[in-house]
Amino acid sequence: MPMKGRGTAQLREIDRWEDGVGWLAYPDEKMQRASHAVRVDDGDVWVFDPVDAPGVDDLLAEFGDVAGVVVGLDRHKRDAAAIANRHEVPVYVASWMTGVADKLDADVERFGGTLADSGFKTFRIVDRTFPPWQEVGFYHDELRTLVVPETVGSVGYFCAPGERLGVHPMLRPFPPRRTLTGFDPERLLVGHGAGVTDGAGDALRESLLNARKNLPGAYARAFKSMLTN
């Protein structure tokens, strides 16, 4: 099982709900790169950190017209440009995020404290130069939906034994608790693995609170995952 899938993608749905859906383009890869589409109040569809696959456009069409494609992490260029160009919309990048916009072969729009007119409030999760990491989070009050591109995930190498949601291995020693513990979402969508739709707020708080305590188990599991094919 490779870390990152290559070749022909095979779409698998995750996180389907009334106003959105997620998918894995390479379900068998270890990274479990998750993409998400959310329909907001006016019927527009916003696509977050997508990885392309056959059938993605049909899946998006079930929810409405794509208004924009969003990059939430400086290294999540993924296939944002290709999908944005097909739908003739810009790729949206935070105004303070550097580097990634120059790598996108598409029109780029910058956003500040809100994601255009989507209803999503935005906030910095991580912004540091060493090691490089710029990540923006998104929260929609009416949908009670929180999108966290990288800091937490449900994929195996993020989680210690017994955890359903874990902090990224690089952030476990100093997790961004102040930034994230104030949210109580009904739905948490993550960039690696399936989201959390049952007790999402509690799962988020527990993952941040226990990040250091569960660090040895998480690192052992992640190391084992790296060694197995």
Side-chain angles (χ1 to χ4, degrees), residues 23-116:
W23 70 90
L24 303 174
Y26 296 92
D28 294 330
E29 68 178 8
K30 288 184 181 179
M31 292 184 72
Q32 294 285 286
R33 291 170 294 165
S35 314
H36 297 281
V38 178
R39 178 174 57 204
V40 298
D41 303 341
D42 60 3
D44 287 341
V45 175
W46 290 83
V47 183
F48 294 86
D49 292 335
V51 181
D52 208 356
V56 162
D57 292 336
D58 291 336
L59 183 63
L60 297 175
E62 291 183 36
F63 293 88
D65 294 328
V66 174
V69 178
V70 188
V71 172
L73 181 76
D74 55 352
R75 55 184 182 272
H76 271 188
K77 180 172 73 76
R78 295 184 173 180
D79 297 315
I83 292 176
N85 287 335
R86 287 206 305 269
H87 290 268
E88 299 181 336
V89 298
V91 177
Y92 286 77
V93 179
S95 59
W96 50 271
M97 193 177 287
T98 59
V100 67
D102 297 333
K103 301 174 184 177
L104 295 166
D105 187 16
D107 292 336
V108 173
E109 292 282 348
R110 295 287 192 165
F111 61 85
T114 59
L115 176 60

Side-chain angles (χ1 to χ4, degrees), residues 130-201:
F130 186 80
W133 193 310
Q134 293 181 312
E135 180 181 2
V136 57
F138 307 86
Y139 186 70
H140 199 290
D141 286 302
E142 293 187 16
L143 297 175
R144 291 193 61 199
T145 297
L146 177 64
V147 182
V148 178
E150 191 79 2
T151 289
V152 294
S154 64
V155 66
Y157 66 91
F158 272 49
C159 297
E163 290 183 339
R164 58 173 174 157
L165 185 72
V167 173
H168 190 287
M170 290 181 64
L171 297 180
R172 270 193 182 262
F174 302 99
R177 292 179 179 139
R178 291 185 180 180
T179 305
L180 289 171
T181 50
F183 292 98
D184 188 25
E186 177 180 318
R187 181 177 299 100
L188 171 59
L189 307 177
V190 297
H192 294 273
V196 179
T197 59
D198 179 19

